[in-house]
Amino acid sequence: MQYFTYQNQELSCEQVPLKEIAQKLGTPAYVYSYAALKHQFTSFTQAFSGIDHLICFSMKANSNAAILKTFINLGSGIDVVTGGELYRALKAGCPANKIVFSGVGKSDSEIEMALNAGILQFNVESIDELSAIQNVAARLNKKAPIALRVNPDVDPKTHAYISTGLKKSKFGISHEKTVDTYKKARDMANIEIVGIDCHIGSQLTTTAPFVEALGKVKNLINALKAEGITVRHLDFGGGLGITYNNETPPSPADYAAALKGIMTELGLKLIFEPGRFLVGNTGVLLTKVLYNKGRDNKKFVIVDAASNDLMRPAMYDAYHDIKPLSQKTGETQVVDVVGPICETGDFFAHDRALPALSNGEYAAIMSAGAYGFSMSSTYNSRPRAVEVMVNGKDYEIVRERETLEDLVKGEKIPSFLK
């Protein structure tokens, strides 16, 4: 988190004290570092220099238009999983031929939208989906570029909810049925086979599962060649982990070194779909302490951010470092950091040793750039947080805080209740 450091005892994003943002714009507030975003993207793409590749940012990690535009300006494509994400990607200025459409449940209207836009490829998850794409493409008199997503049955050694390459997961076509499914695709008049896709999970902290999966994909590509089926693209998904606590994930250079040999041998255009790696450690969630509460030998720090703002702790029991905005020294106390929502799962830390945080003080929940705002909600009728991007000494709002009026927008009371 080199872009979030203490300067003159004040936690800053680049050259902006975060307390200044908290006091001026209020909390909860998401803050992103433009320099960190550029650094993450550049480090990834440079690791694969010399190989034909395209990075398609997995926008489910963070769909803010300013984040998208940052990566698009650096040459990135976008990986989308819904029509809404496709709309956002196009609106942010991403060329359609740099958009990959993933996801297990594409509707006919989403398929039509993508075909009319002219996307790079669909990552197809089932034979039923393949048939649906064929039918929509035939109706539109278009050719649909597809890659089949292979489920290689590789254990990524990560949280069960973000493991996607095991046989029991809902994702992809089984390794054993891939060749037969490609044969079916070859016989469909409005389908164009362009690639093969494999994504085994998220927050991987070792290269071994990637290498194992790539070996299986290589064997499939050779089996397809034997059937006269060739592919031009290898979409290897994302999944490279970041440091939240004590993890030591491989760097992009380590990741590339482990894969480059086989990838160079295959001679295909490589597509990567990093999400968390590009944005996770580029953002923080600012919050204010409301109350301190002691009960039955337990201490609680109650803050104004909640699980509706950042649900990863509640959903995955995920660790996020918590730092006071004003640097502190001395003794710590063991506390639970919790939000105001009426759920036991509304917490950010359990039994965490932290410096004493007084009522009214501010803190930053770190590593919140990925799956933070994008998974937030208005549960308990809490308006969603403001989003801010910092660039050097300057910062701008990149999404306004929702208002109470926003909460009821579109709602109507039926005539029989009036």
Side-chain angles (χ1 to χ4, degrees), residues 264-315:
T264 302
E265 179 186 339
L266 290 171
L268 303 175
K269 182 183 183 71
L270 302 177
I271 300 171
F272 297 101
E273 300 168 1
R276 186 191 315 270
F277 174 81
L278 293 185
V279 295
N281 278 330
T282 71
V284 299
L285 175 61
L286 304 184
T287 187
K288 184 170 73 173
V289 177
L290 298 175
Y291 307 109
N292 277 263
K293 176 179 178 178
R295 192 201 65 225
D296 302 328
N297 297 318
K298 285 284 290 184
K299 292 183 178 180
F300 299 91
V301 176
I302 302 168
V303 298
D304 66 353
S307 57
N308 77 292
D309 301 302
L310 177 65
M311 68 183 300
R312 293 192 71 255
M315 187 169 184

Side-chain angles (χ1 to χ4, degrees), residues 67 102 121 164 196 200 204 223 235 249 279-280 293 317 325 336 350:
I67 302 283
S102 303
Q121 69 183 40
T164 60
I196 189 168
I200 58 174
L204 274 71
D235 185 336
V279 295
K293 176 179 178 178
D317 199 24
L325 296 197
D336 285 9
H350 282 147

Side-chain angles (χ1 to χ4, degrees), residues 18-31 284-290 303-306 309 325 340 360-365 382-388 401-402:
L18 289 170
K19 186 182 291 186
E20 178 183 330
I21 296 175
Q23 291 175 337
K24 184 174 181 179
L25 301 180
T27 53
Y30 275 97
V31 181
V284 299
L285 175 61
L286 304 184
T287 187
K288 184 170 73 173
V289 177
L290 298 175
V303 298
D304 66 353
D309 301 302
L325 296 197
E361 280 196 77
Y362 295 105
I365 302 169
R382 287 171 50 88
R384 287 183 292 179
V386 64
E387 292 182 283
V388 179
R401 185 183 306 280
E402 287 185 336

Side-chain angles (χ1 to χ4, degrees), residues 59-60 79-89 99-103 105-107 110-111 113-114:
M59 71 177 289
K60 61 181 176 289
D79 169 56
V80 306
V81 297
T82 66
E85 288 192 346
L86 175 58
Y87 174 81
R88 282 178 176 266
I99 294 176
V100 171
F101 200 143
S102 303
K106 306 174 188 71
S107 68
E110 289 173 324
I111 294 167
M113 182 181 176

Side-chain angles (χ1 to χ4, degrees), residues 213-231:
L214 183 58
K216 290 189 174 185
V217 172
K218 175 187 173 183
N219 291 337
L220 279 173
I221 291 171
N222 289 333
L224 291 173
K225 285 181 180 178
E227 296 290 340
I229 299 172
T230 59
V231 295

